[in-house]
Amino acid sequence: MRRIYPYLLLIPTFVIIVLFIYYPAGSALRLSLFKTSPFGNKTIYVGLRNFQQLMEDPDYLYAVRFTLIYVAVSVSITIFLAFIIAYMLTRGVPGTRLYRTFLFAPYAVSPAIAGTLWTFLLNPVVGHVNYFFMQVFGIQVHWLTSKPYAFYALIFATVWKMLPFDMIFYIASIQDVSLDIIEASTLDGASTMTRVWRIIFPLVSPITFYLVIMNMVTTMFSSFAIVDVMTSGGPGGYTTNMIYKLYLDAFTFQKRGPAAAESMIMFAIMLVVTIIYFRFAERKVHYQ
Amino acid sequence: MTRSTKKLLNTILIEIVLITISFIFIMPIILAITMSLQPPEGVFSFPPKFFPSSFHWKNYVDAFNTVPFGRLILNSLLIATMITAGKIFTGTLAGYAFANFKFRGRNFAFSFLFATLFLPAETIMILPLFNLMNKFGWVNTYWAMTIPFMASATNTFLFRQHFMTIPSSLEDSARIDGAGPMTYFVKILLPLSKAIIGGATIINFVYAWNMYLWPLIITMEDNMKTVQIGVRMLISAESANNWGIIMAGTMIAVLPTLLLFFTLQDLFVRSLVRSGIKE
């Protein structure tokens, strides 16, 4: 009896992941090799033609490029700021608890709401942030409908939303860095800057690595809500990233074959990221 | 400069930076609250007003009248509760299997589950998942919005890690007392895991409450949608005109998770770090 127990315990989890993750993944692969006629009544095997067409589609290539830039910019800004702020939050200055509460708050806010809030703040008529920019830099812009400001607007919302997650992890890992090491470096006369960037930052590199991966996933996928609420991929496709393009092709334009091919490409990217993650994680980026 | 003055200066500098940054961070939420209480004439005043001239609660009433928020809140609550309950149920069972049993194929099962971490089905595989729901006749139902998300690798790992910290002598003595595996699980293991279950509950709840892309495509009728989509509906309905009403709707959508977060912040943060760091 005891021997079959573990299998029984695993049934609920495995039924769900097979049915709702692995099976769809398999049918995406199959679907990506077929073309469906406009009325959906006939499918023809086309081999890799869907992929080939994507590679020749300037809109798709643009979406890939935009995704790369968007991910790179928002992830680097977030990691940099999160580390600095987390460091300051672990110095034990008075009021830290209150600051933490304020700084963590966006974690509980959904990407869609983050997008809504920033749409409001950047609104040319009623938005406070827009007003601030006007007063300080003298620029009056339609943030969400003009290039390149729509991109900046997405970055504001993304960084604001993502930062608390990173901060929470950095705080935990900076607190784990042995106090002795910090003490020793202080006695050696290392300046604050050296201490932070040469000693603490390398010591928390495993967590940085983990956060970079997690943030890449977030910006590639959860960014859908932010893009949809703020710009709907516009102006003129300017902020259409890969996930938004996938959504448009699959559900607005009903291009099922190409959409499935796009799924497979995103899946391949995830796979590569995963493999890189485990390669590095095994080699232990960290110190011990 | 002596070391103590240097330290004091450092502290003051950090204080200033932290005050500024936390102010900037909380600002969007505070401005949303004040805007949600602005009467129409306050909304369009230029320069934008910080405090509402009078508390205009009618924005909230109007938000409810424009979009069926009452129904949407019920939907979101129901969906988030079902997903959370499902994940805790499947996760504790599977975690128990991995932590307390040796069985053939364990490593394979573990890797098979682990791989799903990097396969966010509700985003990458939306099209085939949608087709599958279509086949099941589940489009525009609560089933489609809940059942596919009722198991996850993260929850399983979280519980597995926790169960592994519980001394096996407890299990041995329970067995000597004649308790079967399920009795041990329900009577001993689960009660010892209250804190971690609590943490997982709020994290899963917030995750489910905040879902966007999947509810957007799988629901057809307004009364099946969730509050996240409701805010989007409100923006289109108001054609981005009366921001007082839009922000009132936004507050309705964000208040539950925000309150949960403010009251249970420590539990939240601790559980997030525990569930996020993979071995």
Side-chain angles (χ1 to χ4, degrees):
Chain A
M1 185 60 195
R2 200 180 153 80
R3 290 178 65 188
I4 61 158
Y5 243 100
Y7 300 106
L8 293 177
L9 294 170
L10 290 177
I11 286 174
T13 299
F14 277 76
V15 166
I16 289 176
I17 65 167
V18 167
L19 203 54
F20 300 112
I21 297 180
Y22 279 102
Y23 177 74
S27 45
L29 178 62
R30 206 181 51 83
L31 207 60
S32 71
L33 304 174
F34 285 83
K35 250 198 168 43
T36 317
S37 64
F39 301 104
N41 47 5
K42 244 202 285 181
T43 51
I44 333 150
Y45 177 78
V46 293
L48 295 175
R49 261 228 316 273
N50 285 324
F51 291 92
Q52 199 188 338
Q53 266 172 17
L54 282 178
M55 289 308 137
E56 287 160 4
D57 175 4
D59 286 351
Y60 186 69
L61 295 176
Y62 176 82
V64 174
R65 232 177 30 237
F66 182 80
T67 307
L68 279 177
I69 297 170
Y70 171 63
V71 169
V73 172
S74 52
V75 174
S76 354
I77 296 178
T78 311
I79 291 281
F80 177 78
L81 286 179
F83 176 73
I84 302 264
I85 302 173
Y87 175 76
M88 290 191 286
L89 283 171
T90 51
R91 294 305 92 198
V93 298
T96 296
R97 244 198 96 76
L98 187 68
Y99 303 144
R100 274 190 202 190
T101 305
F102 284 179
L103 286 163
F104 289 174
Y107 175 76
V109 177
S110 73
I113 301 293
T116 314
L117 290 177
W118 283 91
T119 303
F120 152 61
L121 293 168
L122 293 169
N123 183 282
V125 182
V126 303
H128 299 75
V129 170
N130 181 66
Y131 181 72
F132 170 82
F133 273 96
M134 223 167 77
Q135 294 301 308
V136 178
F137 303 106
I139 46 171
Q140 161 71 315
V141 284
H142 284 79
W143 284 91
L144 302 178
T145 47
S146 62
K147 298 178 196 177
Y149 298 101
F151 173 64
Y152 302 155
L154 290 182
I155 297 287
F156 290 157
T158 310
V159 171
W160 182 78
K161 162 73 194 126
M162 206 154 63
L163 202 63
F165 181 85
D166 292 16
M167 258 184 315
I168 289 169
F169 280 88
Y170 268 135
I171 289 172
S173 64
I174 291 174
Q175 279 169 342
D176 279 349
V177 171
S178 135
L179 274 175
D180 294 350
I181 298 175
I182 299 177
E183 278 294 300
S185 66
T186 322
L187 294 178
D188 283 348
S191 75
T192 310
M193 272 297 143
T194 325
R195 196 161 70 222
V196 173
W197 289 112
R198 293 284 175 77
I199 299 166
I200 301 176
F201 193 67
L203 282 175
V204 298
S205 58
I207 212 69
T208 303
F209 194 57
Y210 168 74
L211 290 175
V212 168
I213 300 286
M214 293 314 280
N215 290 351
M216 281 170 67
V217 177
T218 312
T219 41
M220 279 189 75
F221 305 116
S222 313
S223 60
F224 175 84
I226 292 181
V227 173
D228 188 43
V229 169
M230 293 182 79
T231 64
S232 301
Y238 174 61
T239 58
T240 300
N241 61 1
M242 288 168 80
I243 186 75
Y244 203 77
K245 177 98 169 92
L246 168 60
Y247 162 77
L248 288 178
D249 285 343
F251 295 99
T252 308
F253 305 129
Q254 303 282 336
K255 295 196 284 190
R256 301 153 60 91
E262 287 175 44
S263 293
M264 292 321 294
I265 292 172
M266 292 189 92
F267 172 59
I269 294 174
M270 281 302 294
L271 205 64
V272 171
V273 169
T274 312
I275 292 169
I276 294 173
Y277 178 68
F278 286 107
R279 268 287 155 76
F280 274 93
E282 259 168 40
R283 255 192 257 154
K284 303 224 178 201
V285 200
H286 62 311
Y287 39 100
Q288 276 156 347
Chain B
M1 235 182 336
T2 63
R3 259 186 79 182
S4 59
T5 37
K6 210 174 148 193
K7 209 173 165 199
L8 185 69
L9 275 177
N10 232 330
T11 308
I12 293 172
L13 188 72
I14 291 179
E15 286 282 354
I16 294 171
V17 176
L18 282 179
I19 290 174
T20 317
I21 296 177
S22 10
F23 182 74
I24 295 172
F25 257 71
I26 202 70
M27 229 352 94
I29 296 171
I30 292 178
L31 290 173
I33 297 173
T34 58
M35 180 53 92
S36 76
L37 295 168
Q38 287 283 12
E41 65 273 15
V43 171
F44 292 105
S45 66
F46 195 85
K49 272 191 182 161
F50 189 82
F51 285 110
S53 39
S54 61
F55 290 123
H56 193 70
W57 293 101
K58 195 169 164 295
N59 285 338
Y60 284 82
V61 180
D62 289 343
F64 269 95
N65 286 337
T66 316
V67 170
F69 268 114
R71 173 68 191 238
L72 302 190
I73 290 170
L74 277 181
N75 289 343
S76 284
L77 268 179
L78 184 74
I79 291 163
T81 309
M82 279 172 70
I83 291 179
T84 305
K87 275 188 173 162
I88 302 280
F89 176 75
T90 60
T92 47
L93 289 180
Y96 180 42
F98 283 124
N100 294 50
F101 293 87
K102 282 198 170 54
F103 56 94
R104 193 191 278 263
R106 184 165 81 162
N107 288 339
F108 173 75
F110 194 74
S111 318
F112 192 75
L113 181 61
F114 197 90
T116 65
L117 269 183
F118 299 90
L119 243 174
E122 76 271 32
T123 48
I124 308 190
M125 300 304 166
I126 36 170
L127 181 60
L129 194 57
F130 182 87
N131 293 343
L132 185 67
M133 295 297 116
N134 217 355
K135 245 185 249 169
F136 286 2
W138 281 4
V139 174
N140 202 36
T141 63
Y142 292 125
W143 307 124
M145 282 191 278
T146 53
I147 293 181
F149 311 106
M150 281 190 176
S152 81
T154 19
N155 278 273
T156 308
F157 298 151
L158 178 68
F159 292 121
R160 168 182 169 265
Q161 287 318 94
H162 177 71
F163 294 156
M164 277 170 26
T165 63
I166 290 169
S168 59
S169 57
L170 267 179
E171 191 180 1
D172 297 338
S173 48
R175 210 185 302 172
I176 293 165
D177 288 344
M182 262 354 249
T183 318
Y184 169 72
F185 177 68
V186 175
K187 291 258 167 77
I188 296 168
L189 215 47
L190 288 186
L192 283 175
S193 316
K194 272 186 203 140
I196 204 118
I197 292 176
T201 302
I202 51 174
I203 289 180
N204 288 326
F205 187 89
V206 170
Y207 158 83
W209 182 273
N210 288 348
M211 278 189 3
Y212 183 82
L213 176 53
W214 184 246
L216 180 71
I217 56 176
I218 203 70
T219 54
M220 303 292 146
E221 290 155 24
D222 282 359
N223 65 6
M224 285 304 289
K225 298 200 186 292
T226 62
V227 282
Q228 303 295 326
I229 313 296
V231 174
R232 183 78 169 100
M233 288 157 68
L234 195 59
I235 297 177
S236 332
E238 291 294 326
S239 40
N241 264 326
N242 197 334
W243 282 93
I245 298 176
I246 298 173
M247 283 302 118
T250 304
M251 289 325 297
I252 295 167
V254 81
L255 215 58
T257 49
L258 217 50
L259 283 180
L260 209 57
F261 180 76
F262 280 137
T263 46
L264 298 169
Q265 192 190 334
D266 290 336
L267 183 61
F268 225 115
V269 169
R270 236 182 307 131
S271 322
L272 186 67
V273 172
R274 262 169 113 167
S275 65
I277 297 178
K278 283 158 204 101
E279 296 293 297

